[in-house]
Each structure stands twice: as structure tokens, then as C-alpha cells.
Amino acid sequence: MTVRVGVIGVGMIGKDHIRRLTTVLAGSQVVAVTDVDAQEARRVAAGLPGATAHRTGQDLIADPAVDAVVVCSWGPTHEEYVLAAIAAGKAVFCEKPLATSEAACRRIVQAEVAFGRRLVQVGYMRRYDAPYRALKAVVDSGEIGTPLMMHCTHRNASVPGHYTKDMAITDTAVHEIDMVRWMFGEEITAATVLTPRRSRLGGELQDPLMLLLEMDSGALVDVEISVNIRYGYDIRGEVVGEEGTAALGEFSPITVRRNGLVSGKVPTDWRERFLRAYDVEFQEWIDSVRSGSEFGPSAWDGYAAATVSDAALASLNGAGRVPVTLCEKPALYASSR
Ligand code: NAP
């Protein structure tokens, strides 16, 4: 069976996922697209054999030719489209964030629980990245003993002009927030955001930031967020266990030795660093839609990440250490990763 996919939002990542679904992966066909920019949606559809450009996301979701929906529009529109897909009983892959508030994510969780079956997957692609998967395999094997701490680093060369103070949490740190929940297999119970001396390269932004995340077991995670560091896109992670440590390796595909120096390449941006992770993420999603097997990051994961994100935002805005309180986890998500 070929999964007939409809894509809502054909901006940067929407186009990239259409390319992936159309030319890289097996088992899917993009049959419909929509965007607030109707002309752009028609232009994209024209390049996809047999695809329809719909006027609205709601029309696309209602289209009987669409088996499954991919939401790549602006964050504040996600809730509406995910709820509509659940109401239509269609699988929906929603780029992060699931929704822009904890309350909106809770409404999605409630709708999916009422539907009685998982339909939603959230786009947390680090869980599909081979180095992160290898790191988690070491932690899960017990090889380094009980994990006690994790040191994370998230560095961007630069960010666009519309990037705001809050986006350092909601767009950037949220990847680490989801990743450490998955890595440790437990929830985050409190968040504290510290603001070091400001980089002059960040203009008015509070850059860098340091997050301290407290895990349910008492393990601690520190996260450096630097979004104007110029030298490249650098993602690091090291888990400290009772009997050893395990860290993500250097990412450069080559090493050059010359003039007494060793050098490698730092990725330019997240597309380059996580290219393969997005491919694996979407192939596994298509396979789940086709076979009816369990999806990846769930609406619960989207809700938990949003709740921690809200706590970190409150801390960034002066609230100090902010405890995270989640609602009771519905049985539907008992086995979600
Ligand atoms: P973008 O380039 O601005 O694309 C968003 C697209 O959706 C734009 O074409 C936008 O049109 C359109 N849109 C806005 N409201 C819509 C609506 N109501 N119905 C249909 N289309 C609508 O942004 P992007 O960078 O692709 O990001 C899209 C989403 O992906 C965001 O949620 C972002 O957080 C997420 N993302 C995830 C990752 C990741 O690593 N997983 C990376 C990048 C982005 P206008 O431009 O006219 O508003």
C-alpha cells in the first residue's frame, strides 16, 4: 500500500519533507498540499504528479484521497490541524511543537485518548539520529552504570532576525528537552534557566543561556544554548554514569592532518547535521502508517515537552527554579517511547 500524504504548510521544512517523501523514501506519495500562500501551494502542487492544492488545511484533511497528514505550518496553527486529523481518524505527523501551549497540547492528548487509538506523531527527530541512538543504547545497556548527569550543548552559527528571546527555549532547547526525556526514560521535574554574560554577537538577545533540568530520578542535565557562535552548528551530549561516561562522537565525515594540525568539518546547520535522522524518522512513520504499528514521539511527548518549555520560559523570565507538574499519563501512552 502506498500512503497518500497531504502536507499542510509548504515553507522551508514542508518543502524539504515533500522532497524526502517524494524522492528519497519508499511507500508514500504526496497527493495534496496547502499553504496560507495559495499561489505557493499551487506552484508546489504543480511539481508533484497528480497532487491537488487545497484552499485550507481543513479541506486537505477532509479529502478522501489523503490517508495521512503532515503538518509543517507555523506553530500556532498546529493545534487546529492536529485536532481535525484526529476527528477524521487520520494519522498525523506534526512538526514540533505539537502546539504552542501546555493547554493546547492537553486538548490534543484528550482528543486522541477519546478517539481511543494513537494517530499523532511529533517531529522530534533526534530520537532517529544514529549517534543519539547509539548513545542511548550504551546508557540502556548499563555499561556505564546508573546515569547521573548529562551535559548537552546546542550551538547555532547564527539565527534569523525574527528569532526572539523565547525561541531559545521553544524552538531550540525544546529538542534537548524531548531528547533527555527519551534518553533517561523519565520525566523532567523542574527547570532553571541561568543567563550568563551576554555575547555581543547576539545583539539584544539573551545569548547564551544555561538550562538546568532535574529528572525524576534525581539525575541532572545541563544544557548550553548558544545561537550566535559563528563557527558552525554543533550539537554535543555526554552522559555521566556511575562507572563511566558516553558521549556523542565528533560529527565530521573527514579529518585533515596538515601543517602540524588536525581539523575536521563542523556542520553548517541543522539540516546538514540531522539530514539522515529526518529520513529515518519519516521512513519509520510511513511504515507505521502502512502496518498500523506504534508511532514514534507521541502527543504525550509533545505535551510533556511543552510543559517543561513553559516552565523554562517562566524561569528565563525571572521565576527562578520552576517545578514541572504533568497531568496523569493516560494508559494510551504507556508504551510510547
Ligand atoms: P516556514 O518556512 O515559515 O514555513 C511555514 C509555512 O507554513 C509557511 O509557508 C507559512 O506561510 C505556512 N503557514 C502558516 N500558517 C498556515 C496555515 N494556517 N495553513 C497552512 N499553511 C500555513 O517555517 P518552517 O521553518 O518550515 O517551520 C515550520 C514548522 O516546522 C514549525 O513548527 C517549526 O518549528 C518546525 N521545524 C522543525 C524543525 C525540526 O528540527 N524538527 C526544523 C525546522 C522547523 P507564511 O510564510 O505565509 O506564513
Side-chain angles (χ1 to χ4, degrees):
M1 165 207 168
T2 298
V3 179
R4 298 169 304 169
V5 177
V7 178
I8 299 176
V10 293
M12 181 184 51
I13 206 157
K15 285 196 187 76
D16 198 42
H17 289 335
I18 290 171
R19 175 195 60 76
R20 171 167 289 116
L21 289 164
T22 309
T23 64
V24 182
L25 308 180
S28 67
Q29 184 190 355
V30 177
V31 297
V33 297
T34 186
D35 198 285
V36 280
D37 182 343
Q39 203 180 338
E40 184 64 358
R42 284 195 296 273
R43 203 187 61 73
V44 171
L48 300 166
T52 308
H54 282 288
R55 204 175 52 80
T56 68
Q58 302 290 357
D59 291 348
L60 178 144
I61 292 163
D63 182 346
V66 170
D67 300 318
V69 179
V70 173
V71 178
C72 296
S73 49
W74 191 44
T77 65
H78 290 185
E79 179 190 6
E80 175 194 347
Y81 297 138
V82 174
L83 287 175
I86 294 171
K90 295 188 179 182
V92 52
F93 179 102
C94 180
E95 257 311 339
K96 63 87 190 161
L98 175 61
T100 44
S101 71
E102 180 251 332
C105 291
R106 199 143 26 92
R107 285 192 287 273
I108 292 172
V109 164
Q110 283 161 355
E112 196 177 36
V113 168
F115 184 78
R117 180 163 57 83
R118 280 201 52 201
L119 292 170
V120 180
Q121 176 165 329
V122 187
Y124 284 117
M125 78 295 183
R126 290 201 187 178
R127 297 176 181 221
Y128 298 87
D129 178 59
Y132 270 114
R133 283 185 163 185
L135 181 58
K136 180 165 169 57
V138 170
V139 171
D140 289 349
S141 73
E143 228 177 289
I144 60 167
T146 303
L148 307 174
M149 293 183 284
M150 183 166 184
H151 306 298
C152 305
T153 303
H154 187 138
R155 297 183 183 143
N156 292 60
S158 61
V159 284
H162 67 262
Y163 190 93
T164 61
K165 175 183 170 191
D166 288 2
M167 286 168 79
I169 304 293
T170 57
D171 275 54
T172 304
V174 76
H175 282 292
E176 264 78 14
I177 289 171
D178 177 71
M179 181 276 295
V180 297
R181 293 181 55 254
W182 166 77
M183 182 67 67
F184 283 73
E186 56 182 292
E187 298 297 351
I188 294 166
T189 55
T192 308
V193 179
L194 302 171
T195 53
R197 181 180 183 180
R198 247 164 59 178
S199 162
R200 67 187 165 76
L201 300 173
E204 294 303 303
L205 270 186
Q206 175 53 59
D207 176 38
L209 293 180
M210 182 69 77
L211 273 71
L212 194 61
L213 304 173
E214 297 173 40
M215 308 303 296
D216 200 26
S217 62
L220 282 184
V221 176
D222 59 83
V223 184
E224 173 202 319
I225 302 289
S226 294
V227 295
N228 287 283
I229 202 138
R230 295 299 189 261
Y231 74 84
Y233 181 77
D234 200 4
I235 300 297
R236 290 161 178 260
E238 180 187 37
V239 178
V240 179
E242 280 175 325
E243 298 165 54
T245 69
L248 299 173
E250 292 295 333
F251 197 70
S252 178
I254 56 151
T255 306
V256 177
R257 289 177 166 75
R258 189 170 163 269
N259 287 341
L261 296 173
V262 180
S263 64
K265 180 167 186 324
V266 179
T268 313
D269 62 17
W270 48 272
R271 273 165 296 212
E272 183 181 343
R273 169 63 183 83
F274 288 109
L275 178 77
R276 188 65 197 125
Y278 289 114
D279 291 346
V280 176
E281 173 186 50
F282 266 88
Q283 189 62 65
E284 290 194 14
W285 179 69
I286 293 162
D287 294 347
S288 297
V289 176
R290 292 168 84 183
S291 65
S293 61
E294 181 93 328
F295 292 114
S298 66
W300 174 264
D301 294 316
Y303 157 73
T307 307
V308 176
S309 197
D310 283 358
L313 276 180
S315 181
L316 175 60
N317 290 312
R321 175 185 177 275
V322 180
V324 174
T325 309
L326 299 178
C327 63
E328 198 172 329
K329 188 173 182 176
L332 184 64
Y333 304 108
S335 65
S336 81
R337 287 180 262 176

